[in-house]
Amino acid sequence: MSNEPRNMRNESNSKIKESSTRTSYLVPRTSKIVTFKDLNAWKEGHELVLMTYRLTKRFPKDELFALTSQMRRAAVSITSNIAEGFGRSGVNDRAHFYTIAHGSVTELQNQLLVSRDVGYISDVEFENVEIQSVIVHKILTGLIRATKARAQEI
């Protein structure tokens, strides 16, 4: 995923902007990355966490310790593993944690499908959060590739 401003990305991402009251967390390309919060993967992942919490807040109470909890844990795992990977000094360690975050995105995507199919979220809600999950997945794919390439250089 590129570091282009949101308004420069393709039309499919416009649904997110329309349905969300979010502030863009993206930093300009020239900004230096100092903390994990400067990573676009973490910023977009954080938005996915917030979207997930807003969705699951309306789930039936009998799902609190089932699907609700699983979805929230998977979402938080994304940003937690990005942060942990960023804090590691070795590039192989970083790539490992970014890969775990990548898997958590895929896990959440599956849980979103289940939520839609059992009627907990509408098709529109599913589409909006699915688009955000794809954005995070693509950014993480690029981050993993770049980190592994850096490991090859060392």
Side-chain angles (χ1 to χ4, degrees), residues 130-150:
E130 176 69 6
I131 289 169
Q132 184 66 21
S133 74
V134 169
I135 289 169
V136 175
H137 199 268
K138 287 180 179 182
I139 293 172
L140 276 169
T141 298
L143 185 58
I144 292 164
R145 282 185 188 150
T147 304
K148 286 181 177 180
R150 186 162 181 224

Side-chain angles (χ1 to χ4, degrees), residues 82-97:
I82 292 168
E84 187 162 357
F86 184 85
R88 298 295 175 134
S89 58
V91 289
N92 287 328
D93 272 351
R94 283 186 181 193
H96 173 74
F97 283 98

Side-chain angles (χ1 to χ4, degrees), residues 25 41-51 79 132 136:
Y25 293 106
W42 183 87
K43 293 172 191 176
E44 296 292 347
H46 184 68
E47 179 59 28
L48 182 58
V49 170
L50 298 178
M51 292 172 84
T79 53
Q132 184 66 21
V136 175

Side-chain angles (χ1 to χ4, degrees), residues 57-77:
K57 195 176 202 176
R58 299 186 325 266
F59 281 16
K61 295 299 174 212
D62 63 335
E63 285 291 351
L64 185 59
F65 299 106
L67 192 57
T68 301
S69 177
Q70 286 182 308
M71 289 177 70
R72 288 178 174 185
R73 283 185 288 119
V76 170
S77 175

Side-chain angles (χ1 to χ4, degrees), residues 9-126:
R9 294 188 193 160
N10 67 31
E11 292 293 318
S12 68
N13 296 337
S14 65
K15 289 180 177 68
I16 294 168
K17 291 186 282 185
E18 292 169 6
S19 68
S20 178
T21 57
R22 68 187 268 180
T23 304
S24 179
Y25 293 106
L26 295 178
V27 268
R29 196 173 200 158
T30 57
S31 295
K32 185 172 174 139
I33 296 173
V34 178
T35 73
F36 66 88
K37 294 181 287 185
D38 297 324
L39 292 171
N40 288 339
W42 183 87
K43 293 172 191 176
E44 296 292 347
H46 184 68
E47 179 59 28
L48 182 58
V49 170
L50 298 178
M51 292 172 84
T52 301
Y53 268 76
R54 283 191 296 267
L55 278 177
T56 57
K57 195 176 202 176
R58 299 186 325 266
F59 281 16
K61 295 299 174 212
D62 63 335
E63 285 291 351
L64 185 59
F65 299 106
L67 192 57
T68 301
S69 177
Q70 286 182 308
M71 289 177 70
R72 288 178 174 185
R73 283 185 288 119
V76 170
S77 175
I78 296 164
T79 53
S80 296
N81 280 293
I82 292 168
E84 187 162 357
F86 184 85
R88 298 295 175 134
S89 58
V91 289
N92 287 328
D93 272 351
R94 283 186 181 193
H96 173 74
F97 283 98
Y98 296 157
T99 301
I100 293 170
H102 202 252
S104 294
V105 174
T106 306
E107 179 182 354
L108 180 59
Q109 287 172 331
N110 175 67
Q111 293 159 347
L112 288 165
L113 285 165
V114 172
S115 299
R116 183 199 59 196
D117 293 347
V118 298
Y120 294 162
I121 60 175
S122 69
D123 288 340
V124 172
E125 290 170 320
F126 171 80

